Amino acid sequence: MSKNLYLCVPDPFDSSTSARLERMGILRPDGEVNVEVMRAFVQIFGGLFFDDLCDFYSDQGEVSAVTAAFSELAARKDCQNIYLLISLQYDTIRKPLPDPIWWLAGCAPALSLFCLGFVERLLELSENQASNGKEMVANETADCCTG
């Protein structure tokens, strides 16, 4: 009848980080970052984050201010502060930091690739939206993909 009275909460700085990232496909069995998977990871989480920003902020100028802060950090290749800014922005928009992003904190090579790619994707999405003047609606997206 002995039960644990408390749960050990794993964190990205414990010994399970590499195994967790390998199960996600981010790390290869040899510990190297799987660049192809990281590209998909960046696309997915960068796109979701951009949509979350656009949903939260009513003014495109506010979104631009956030992306400018990311751009400045990326120009300095300041991955630690990019990661911190991602975390702070998730707090601001009242959403939890996604677990897969959380686990990157314990693996510097994966974190660096993610942070720089994330900002690149975020800026690309922001520039596309600015040049289009609006966000495409579902039927316009379908039309551009089928025609």
Side-chain angles (χ1 to χ4, degrees):
M1 182 153 165
S2 173
K3 289 187 176 182
N4 286 338
L5 298 176
Y6 63 93
L7 294 174
C8 177
V9 179
D11 69 63
F13 304 104
D14 69 14
S15 60
S16 69
T17 299
S18 294
R20 289 174 187 265
L21 293 175
E22 185 179 337
R23 284 189 291 272
M24 285 187 260
I26 292 170
L27 291 183
R28 294 192 173 124
D30 65 2
E32 293 295 315
V33 176
N34 186 332
V35 176
E36 297 79 26
V37 171
M38 184 59 76
R39 282 188 190 119
F41 191 82
V42 163
Q43 292 284 87
I44 292 165
F45 285 102
L48 287 171
F49 180 77
F50 182 76
D51 287 341
D52 286 341
L53 284 178
C54 292
D55 291 343
F56 183 79
Y57 291 112
S58 58
D59 182 345
Q60 182 59 33
E62 293 172 306
V63 174
S64 294
V66 171
T67 58
F70 278 108
S71 179
E72 179 183 320
L73 293 171
R76 296 192 316 245
K77 298 194 184 318
D78 189 347
C79 294
Q80 286 182 320
N81 280 319
I82 291 170
Y83 188 79
L84 178 60
L85 186 55
I86 292 169
S87 299
L88 291 171
Q89 285 303 312
Y90 271 105
D91 283 347
T92 299
I93 62 176
R94 298 180 186 97
K95 291 197 172 211
L97 183 68
D99 281 348
I101 295 174
W102 165 248
W103 284 102
L104 291 175
C107 182
L111 182 66
S112 295
L113 278 176
F114 172 76
C115 286
L116 296 174
F118 181 90
V119 173
E120 183 179 324
R121 180 66 178 148
L122 189 62
L123 296 174
E124 176 185 303
L125 292 168
S126 183
E127 289 169 11
N128 287 344
Q129 184 176 11
S131 67
N132 291 336
K134 64 181 178 110
E135 195 171 348
M136 287 197 296
V137 293
N139 65 343
E140 290 173 323
T141 305
D143 291 344
C144 83
C145 295
T146 59

